Amino acid sequence: MNQHEDDRGHPVAESDLTREQKSGAGESPIGRFGCDAMQQDEGVAAAEPFVVFVMHASVGSGHRSAALAVAEAFEALKASGDERVPSDAEIEVIDILDYGRVPIDGDKTASMFTGPTRPIYDITWRYTLTGRLLWGGGTAWSHIMFGKLTEYVERRKPSVVVCTHITAANAVVGARMLTGQRFPIVCVPTDYEIEGLWPHKETDLFCVATEAMAETLRPRKVPEHKMEITGIPVRGGLGEEYDIAAVRAELGLPLDKTLVLVMAGAHLPQPYVRFRATMDETLSYLKGLPGMHFVFLPGRDEEYAVHLERQREAMSIDNMSILGYVDKMPALMAASDLAICKSGGLTVTECLCARLPMVLLGHSYGQEKANTRMLTSLGVGMHVTTARELLGALRHLHANPSSLHAMLVNGEILRRPNAAFDIADASLRLIGSVDEPKKHFIELYWGGKPAHTR
């Protein structure tokens, strides 16, 4: 896999195929690969390649980040000589939105749960197919929207498919039914609760973050052998030991202050509009917290970085830095003491793995509300919604640093930095164990009493 950028503009590995898909969505697979994988050589059929699909949807940033982490784990297993992953195995990261019948803009779609319609999204997420009437799976999504994916699956014949988004999971479930293939499908929810539209009956394994999520699946009649508590996958390097003094010195950051990361940038900017507006309201008060140094991370958004720099200079804020491109993000997180961030599943999981306490900023809806409740109920983070509340929380932590330590200790209950490898390992164990799929257009079924009401 070649170098690519992660959700905050930092380099990660991603397959050449993914870049081809980004620029050639909807092309014939033959056109992209130049030949049929089942090409014959002198009358003898060539062996089918070992292909892993890691599928996501570019709605928000977390699903893609999780997919990249899992793909990197497969690549690492291949490089290590793991006999289950041949040396010529192909690991493909696929955005399901590239295969839609009509184009779908992930950034605009993300605005559904960050813009004016977010309360509607919240109601939909919490109450649609989350009670006893449940979604099992079917070919509906493939027939209606994702025929191109079915054609691609027919040609490539994946050995295993890992999905970090429900749209990808439902589309590939339908593709498997329509093509009659027997590859396992592994679903990896990237938040701390499970959306009701995952294909429950057609999923071969759910890799979930917590026992509470497994408790959600049991009334949905998902058997125990189809659940594994792995954690949410994050990229490598998080949770490792670093020379904190050296990291801070390299980045020009003070060693004698509480370092606060303001995580205000991602691959898709739309979800951060309100977050940034609230942070703007707090800038003039940061000077009143001299024991803290604030490091703003605008990601690849150069316009926002320029805005922050102008504000810093205009207000003469000497305990504030703006770092645009950071090629050692895990090291920076390890060298920090606190993060101000949104409650997205991947963001908070990265902080947990890096042992970084959190202040969760902003109103949360849908899956982010579930994340917020989980983290605050365990004492892993604090939740604030306004600039005044944020300043109150920062002043408390400034005066009582022992509170940071308490959040750090509490976070160990959720910390699973090796999740990506555990998911890859569990996926490989399933190969060869899947029966021929039965076809149905839609399957709804009646489950048990929900373990968690929303």
Side-chain angles (χ1 to χ4, degrees):
M1 301 205 319
N2 295 334
Q3 285 298 101
H4 200 66
E5 293 178 0
D6 77 354
D7 301 322
R8 296 183 183 87
H10 313 318
V12 295
E14 186 171 4
S15 65
D16 289 332
L17 171 65
T18 306
R19 274 200 292 271
E20 292 174 17
Q21 288 171 331
K22 293 295 183 182
S23 61
E27 294 178 9
S28 162
I30 293 180
R32 276 198 291 254
F33 291 93
C35 64
D36 192 330
M38 294 301 292
Q39 216 172 25
Q40 291 189 347
D41 181 12
E42 298 180 357
V44 179
E48 293 181 1
F50 187 93
V51 177
V52 177
F53 285 179
V54 187
M55 302 181 64
H56 68 100
S58 53
V59 179
S61 301
H63 308 290
R64 175 176 175 271
S65 181
L68 291 173
V70 174
E72 288 177 355
F74 276 110
E75 290 284 4
L77 290 175
K78 181 175 74 171
S80 71
D82 190 309
E83 61 183 10
R84 298 172 300 173
V85 188
S87 60
D88 60 350
E90 301 172 25
I91 318 299
E92 304 182 7
V93 178
I94 295 174
D95 184 351
I96 186 59
L97 301 190
D98 288 344
Y99 289 84
R101 188 180 300 275
V102 296
I104 301 175
D105 187 311
D107 200 15
K108 290 181 179 178
T109 304
S111 68
M112 291 175 58
F113 49 85
T114 59
T117 60
R118 62 195 188 282
I120 298 174
Y121 168 77
D122 183 57
I123 293 172
T124 302
W125 194 90
R126 291 196 295 144
Y127 296 109
T128 301
L129 298 176
T130 58
R132 296 197 177 193
L133 181 63
L134 296 166
W135 171 250
T139 62
W141 294 41
S142 295
H143 280 301
I144 296 170
M145 188 66 183
F146 295 106
K148 292 177 183 177
L149 179 70
T150 301
E151 295 172 5
Y152 190 54
V153 167
E154 175 69 37
R155 181 167 300 281
R156 293 292 285 153
K157 296 179 174 57
S159 304
V160 61
V161 177
V162 180
C163 300
T164 64
H165 192 275
I166 57 170
T167 303
N170 279 293
V172 81
V173 158
R176 183 173 67 174
M177 289 180 178
L178 292 170
T179 61
Q181 297 180 42
R182 300 171 69 171
F183 55 82
I185 296 174
V186 179
C187 290
V188 184
T190 57
D191 292 288
Y192 290 85
E193 187 52 284
I194 301 176
E195 166 66 54
L197 290 175
W198 285 95
H200 297 102
K201 287 197 169 183
E202 300 298 332
T203 295
D204 299 295
L205 182 67
F206 276 96
C207 290
V208 297
T210 65
E211 178 61 35
M213 295 173 72
E215 195 68 6
T216 292
L217 290 173
R218 292 185 180 103
R220 298 180 183 182
K221 300 185 178 179
V222 176
E224 291 293 329
H225 72 275
K226 290 190 175 184
M227 294 183 280
E228 190 157 336
I229 299 173
T230 60
I232 296 173
V234 297
R235 66 187 186 275
L238 290 165
E240 296 182 5
E241 296 296 328
Y242 293 91
D243 184 334
I244 293 177
V247 173
R248 291 197 182 190
E250 181 181 351
L251 296 173
L253 302 173
L255 184 61
D256 60 345
K257 293 189 177 184
T258 299
L259 204 65
V260 183
L261 291 188
V262 183
M263 305 173 77
H267 183 64
L268 298 175
Q270 176 61 38
Y272 283 84
V273 171
R274 293 176 181 274
F275 180 98
R276 293 175 177 181
T278 303
M279 287 307 307
D280 278 354
E281 294 181 44
T282 68
L283 289 178
S284 62
Y285 298 94
L286 299 185
K287 292 186 293 183
L289 300 167
M292 291 179 165
H293 189 88
F294 296 83
V295 181
F296 283 72
L297 303 177
R300 280 296 197 183
D301 193 333
E302 295 182 3
E303 182 178 348
Y304 180 55
V306 170
H307 164 77
L308 288 172
E309 186 61 39
R310 287 174 177 169
Q311 293 289 90
R312 186 188 70 81
E313 293 179 359
M315 300 179 188
S316 299
I317 307 174
D318 56 5
N319 59 336
M320 172 182 172
S321 299
I322 300 101
L323 299 181
Y325 182 85
V326 179
D327 61 359
K328 297 179 180 178
M329 189 65 183
L332 175 59
M333 295 179 75
S336 301
D337 302 296
L338 176 68
I340 302 173
C341 58
K342 281 172 45 57
S343 52
L346 257 293
T347 298
V348 301
T349 302
E350 288 177 350
C351 290
L352 287 168
C353 291
R355 294 188 173 93
L356 189 58
M358 292 164 273
V359 174
L360 307 173
L361 173 59
H363 291 282
S364 53
Y365 299 88
Q367 75 279 6
E368 291 193 356
K369 180 178 289 186
N371 297 339
T372 298
R373 287 178 174 175
M374 170 65 72
L375 295 168
T376 55
S377 68
L378 294 174
V380 175
M382 303 172 69
H383 179 220
V384 299
T385 57
T386 68
R388 285 179 180 272
E389 289 177 322
L390 174 59
L391 285 168
L394 291 174
R395 286 166 178 161
H396 167 76
L397 296 172
H398 186 267
N400 301 280
S402 59
S403 294
L404 290 173
H405 179 70
M407 288 192 284
L408 188 63
V409 172
N410 294 337
E412 289 299 313
I413 193 172
L414 295 175
R415 186 174 177 274
R416 292 177 178 268
N418 297 318
F421 282 92
D422 291 341
I423 292 166
D425 178 72
S427 302
L428 292 169
R429 294 199 306 264
L430 291 174
I431 295 176
S433 66
V434 178
D435 295 330
E436 184 175 350
K438 297 180 180 179
K439 297 180 183 179
H440 48 265
F441 185 69
I442 289 177
E443 181 176 11
L444 296 171
Y445 67 101
W446 197 251
K449 181 180 179 181
H452 306 131
T453 57
R454 297 183 182 176

